[in-house]
Amino acid sequence: MTEKELKPLQQQARWAFGGVVALTLALFFVPYGQYVIYPVMLFSTYAHEMGHGIAAILMGGSFLDFQMWADGSGVARHAGNYGDFARGVVAAGGLLGPAILAAVFFLLSRRAFWSRLALYGFAAASVVAVLLFVRNGFGVGFVLLVALVCAAVARLGGERIAQFFLLFLAVQLSLTVFSRGDYLFVEYANTAAGPMPSDVGQMSQALGGPYWLWGGLVGLMSVAILVGGALLFFRSEAAGAAKAA
């Protein structure tokens, strides 16, 4: 495929990305836009708690369960014979979870067909999460709603709508990394289950150093992951089409 033939695909990717960003900005100004922003905030909590659990499994431990509440707070329980490094990784897993998921969504949204499969896959994974890990009523209801919405968009919306929706989720997750970034610089967190050491506080206890240092490092890692995912979205849309040709 020639550069001339690839150019419309690159433009299409940019238009999709620009449309999602414009819609996102509009939500902050149009009436009732906060009702869309609120579930996105809860979605980031879902990604955060699952990030802890997946990190625990990768470190050789067990993901027991998690709970999340309407105020956007959540708690994940895990168990394992961890060393200090592993405990630090599990704590960081939740902080990096939304950024990693956003980067994966950016990568998969480069192709309309992949976007549809990704939404079906995420819907199925959410149902599995409810069956295995979610242990409070609000969390069960929200995660099942996520599964239903993703499956409905994939089934009824068509490939281009699925691509736009997956890209929308990626951008929203990216923004929550910054809108909730103050959590990176607090030693203790107030949750619906009561106050407890924050993730960066736990990293400080496990790895040494001040909590704000780990918060800054995790923030930089999140930005790097997001930038990498966004660059892959723009570059791979055309590259993937060229390879297919």
Side-chain angles (χ1 to χ4, degrees):
M1 185 173 287
T2 66
E3 182 178 351
K4 183 177 181 180
E5 291 172 315
L6 288 174
K7 191 172 181 181
L9 292 172
Q10 295 172 317
Q11 291 175 338
Q12 185 179 62
R14 293 190 183 99
W15 275 109
F17 186 83
V20 167
V21 171
L23 176 60
T24 299
L25 293 175
L27 291 175
F28 288 93
F29 299 101
V30 300
Y32 308 111
Q34 68 272 18
Y35 293 110
V36 176
I37 296 170
Y38 173 67
V40 169
M41 181 266 291
L42 295 177
F43 187 65
S44 73
T45 299
Y46 173 30
H48 179 108
E49 302 307 335
M50 288 299 294
H52 283 309
I54 292 171
I57 294 171
L58 293 176
M59 290 295 103
S62 300
F63 183 15
L64 301 178
D65 55 54
F66 81 86
Q67 301 180 65
M68 56 182 294
W69 295 277
D71 63 356
S73 62
V75 173
R77 293 196 312 136
H78 53 88
N81 187 21
Y82 303 123
D84 288 341
F85 175 76
R87 288 196 296 119
V89 169
V90 173
L95 296 171
L96 294 173
I100 293 173
L101 185 59
V104 171
F105 282 177
F106 273 127
L107 180 62
L108 293 175
S109 65
R110 68 185 186 176
R111 303 292 291 277
F113 177 71
W114 291 2
S115 298
R116 198 172 190 180
L117 290 182
L119 289 176
Y120 276 129
F122 195 77
S126 295
V127 172
V128 172
V130 167
L131 294 175
L132 297 181
F133 305 120
V134 189
R135 291 296 178 266
N136 72 317
F138 181 84
V140 167
F142 178 76
V143 176
L144 284 178
L145 179 62
V146 168
L148 178 63
V149 170
C150 288
V153 172
R155 176 69 179 85
L156 304 175
E159 290 184 351
R160 286 301 172 188
I161 297 297
Q163 182 181 37
F164 187 89
F165 184 71
L166 193 67
L167 185 58
F168 175 79
L169 291 178
V171 171
Q172 303 314 306
L173 283 170
S174 302
L175 291 177
T176 62
V177 170
F178 302 102
S179 64
R180 306 182 76 180
D182 56 340
Y183 180 69
L184 295 174
F185 300 100
V186 294
E187 191 171 5
Y188 294 92
N190 293 314
T191 74
M196 58 185 63
S198 67
D199 293 332
V200 291
Q202 294 178 48
M203 292 179 70
S204 175
Q205 294 172 9
L207 303 174
Y211 67 88
W212 50 263
L213 173 63
W214 291 111
L217 290 175
V218 168
L220 290 175
M221 290 176 64
S222 296
V223 172
I225 291 169
L226 292 171
V227 170
L231 289 176
L232 279 174
F233 169 75
F234 286 112
R235 295 177 62 183
S236 299
E237 175 80 17
K243 186 176 180 181

